[in-house]
Amino acid sequence: MNTRRLGSLEVSALGLGCMGMSSFYGSADEGEAIATIQRALEIGVNFLDTAQLYGPMTNESLIGEAIKGHRDEYVIATKFARRIGPDTVAGDMSTLGPVDGSAEYVRSSVEGSLKRLGTDYIDLYYQHRVDPNVPIEETIDAMAELVQQGKVRHIGLSEAAPETIRRAHAVHPITALQSEYSLWSRDVEVEILPTCRELGIGFVPYSPLGRGFLSGRFTSPDELDEGDFRRSGPRFTGENLDANLKLAAKLAEIANEKGITPAQLAIAWVLAKGDDLVPIPGTKRRTYLEQNAAAVDIMLTPEEIARIEAELPQAAGERYNEVGMAAINL
Ligand SMILES: NC(=O)c1ccc[n+]([C@@H]2O[C@H](COP(=O)([O-])OP(=O)(O)OC[C@H]3O[C@@H](n4cnc5c(N)ncnc54)[C@H](OP(=O)(O)O)[C@@H]3O)[C@@H](O)[C@H]2O)c1
């Protein structure tokens, strides 16, 4: 597998999103999840994406378990945002506190992540959501201290607004911005991606498969587990779902003509948008991991890219519900 650069950090051209192994996307088989993380390294995918939020906390512990004996061969990205306090119970989202970007919380939260991951350094530490009540300078200053202490090697932001990115980067170099980017979520092309490029910040597109929808796997929310976060997602329900099924069908038609899967086409499209992008498709299983990794060898011509973009309808519906939308682009 080729590598790419996110600012000064070198990683495999494709990462592995580990969120669904522990949260948001229904049940998962722990043994298969661990095998997937280990298989990733064997096929050259060394860039793992997790967060304190995933579980909460259980996903970091799962990764700690899976990487034992091979820590230095992986590049591990994790994130903090919502306060984990003395009453927070691993695996119980309702026990998490609000987003906290204070220097005091940055200093304490990293210790928990290091412990759960079983490591003494984090390669890339992101603020998962900007705290509107704390100046970004305070948060980044505290994250920079972690770099000086050797606990963190690079720092990043997720779903931050252009002005916040600029202010943050003025305090300490930001290595990567992680935000949603895929064929059905292209709003970052307007201002966010150009801002990252101007400042030399790498970009990590999350949910490059449109949370799985672009793979053509889902036709109804009823196919998803009871606790699956997507069951009530604006794009997975009602009239939006009907419109989005046409988008998935179109993608499948073009993929079919090329003799690849729709998921591979969706990943190849993101990869083709620039060498400074490292998508992190999520999966809980080795079969999808291997299919997705093969997408790095699929080259799309400029004509194919233009056709895909022209023929695919816009996604219907917001990316998140009202609460989720209020927490992004801050
Ligand atoms: N910063 C943020 O706010 C944020 C938000 C969301 C996600 N993320 C990160 O980004 C990562 C990726 O995003 P995501 O997991 O939300 O969405 P995604 O990568 O767009 O899609 C994941 C879904 O696609 C399915 N899938 C994967 N490969 C497939 C294939 N080849 N064929 C058919 N289906 C396939 C997965 O199935 P299975 O699970 O059944 O394998 C899962 O349901 C996450 O794991 C997480 O680390 C970050």
Side-chain angles (χ1 to χ4, degrees):
M1 163 104 28
N2 297 338
T3 59
R4 289 187 169 197
R5 293 194 87 81
L6 294 168
S8 57
L9 177 65
E10 188 170 3
V11 295
S12 50
L14 200 74
L16 171 61
C18 299
M19 178 181 89
M21 296 173 180
S22 311
S23 56
F24 293 106
Y25 294 167
S27 59
D29 174 330
E30 192 175 310
E32 179 60 21
I34 289 178
T36 304
I37 293 167
Q38 294 173 344
R39 180 74 186 133
L41 196 59
E42 286 168 7
I43 62 171
V45 175
N46 67 359
F47 185 37
L48 302 180
D49 191 78
T50 181
Q52 293 177 358
L53 177 77
Y54 305 159
M57 302 189 271
T58 53
N59 194 239
E60 288 182 327
S61 303
L62 179 89
I63 289 181
E65 185 61 33
I67 65 169
K68 264 188 194 150
H70 296 275
R71 167 41 192 122
D72 292 344
E73 295 160 64
Y74 287 96
V75 178
I76 298 177
T78 191
K79 323 181 189 80
F80 71 93
R82 290 183 59 186
R83 181 173 268 274
I84 290 171
D87 299 333
T88 307
V89 177
D92 184 351
M93 291 279 185
S94 70
T95 60
L96 277 170
V99 170
D100 187 347
S102 68
E104 171 267 323
Y105 186 59
V106 171
R107 287 184 202 116
S108 69
S109 77
V110 74
E111 301 301 335
S113 289
L114 289 169
K115 200 165 167 209
R116 288 185 290 275
L117 290 164
T119 181
D120 54 8
Y121 69 96
I122 290 162
D123 296 280
L124 175 57
Y125 200 41
Y126 295 101
Q127 184 183 29
H128 206 156
R129 289 291 183 271
V130 172
D131 182 347
N133 301 312
V134 173
I136 193 69
E137 288 79 4
E138 174 179 333
T139 308
I140 300 297
D141 222 24
M143 293 172 81
E145 256 176 51
L146 303 181
V147 176
Q148 277 141 26
Q149 293 164 0
K151 293 177 182 172
V152 163
R153 299 219 165 140
H154 298 265
I155 66 179
L157 294 169
S158 176
E159 293 284 6
E163 185 53 25
T164 307
I165 299 168
R166 286 183 191 284
R167 283 170 52 198
H169 195 65
V171 177
H172 183 91
I174 301 298
T175 295
L177 177 79
Q178 177 176 137
S179 289
E180 186 166 351
Y181 186 37
S182 69
L183 272 166
W184 80 347
S185 293
R186 299 183 47 192
D187 31 317
V188 295
E189 289 175 354
V190 180
E191 204 184 344
I192 292 175
L193 203 43
T195 303
C196 289
R197 288 188 164 145
E198 179 197 321
L199 300 173
I201 298 173
F203 190 91
V204 176
Y206 80 71
S207 302
L209 301 172
R211 300 183 180 270
F213 194 87
L214 299 175
S215 74
R217 248 172 90 201
F218 307 118
T219 52
S220 154
D222 298 334
E223 293 163 30
L224 298 164
D225 281 359
E226 204 53 55
D228 193 310
F229 148 96
R230 296 168 291 190
R231 275 179 78 96
S232 57
R235 291 183 174 180
F236 284 78
T237 44
E239 285 174 11
N240 291 339
L241 172 68
D242 297 335
N244 290 332
L245 284 169
K246 295 196 182 93
L247 188 158
K250 188 74 205 172
L251 190 67
E253 182 190 314
I254 302 174
N256 206 26
E257 283 174 32
K258 254 188 102 59
I260 59 177
T261 70
Q264 288 175 325
L265 183 57
I267 294 168
W269 176 83
V270 179
L271 287 165
K273 301 306 281 186
D275 284 347
D276 51 349
L277 302 179
V278 181
I280 47 167
T283 181
K284 327 171 182 178
R285 60 199 90 223
R286 284 168 286 181
T287 47
Y288 290 164
L289 163 75
E290 288 174 9
Q291 280 177 31
N292 297 345
V296 298
D297 297 320
I298 297 166
M299 296 301 146
L300 300 177
T301 63
E303 293 73 32
E304 286 175 318
I305 292 171
R307 177 187 167 201
I308 293 165
E309 294 176 3
E311 292 192 12
L312 243 63
Q314 289 280 329
E318 300 274 32
R319 300 197 274 128
Y320 288 100
N321 66 16
E322 223 172 297
V323 175
M325 290 303 289
I328 61 173
N329 209 21
L330 294 177

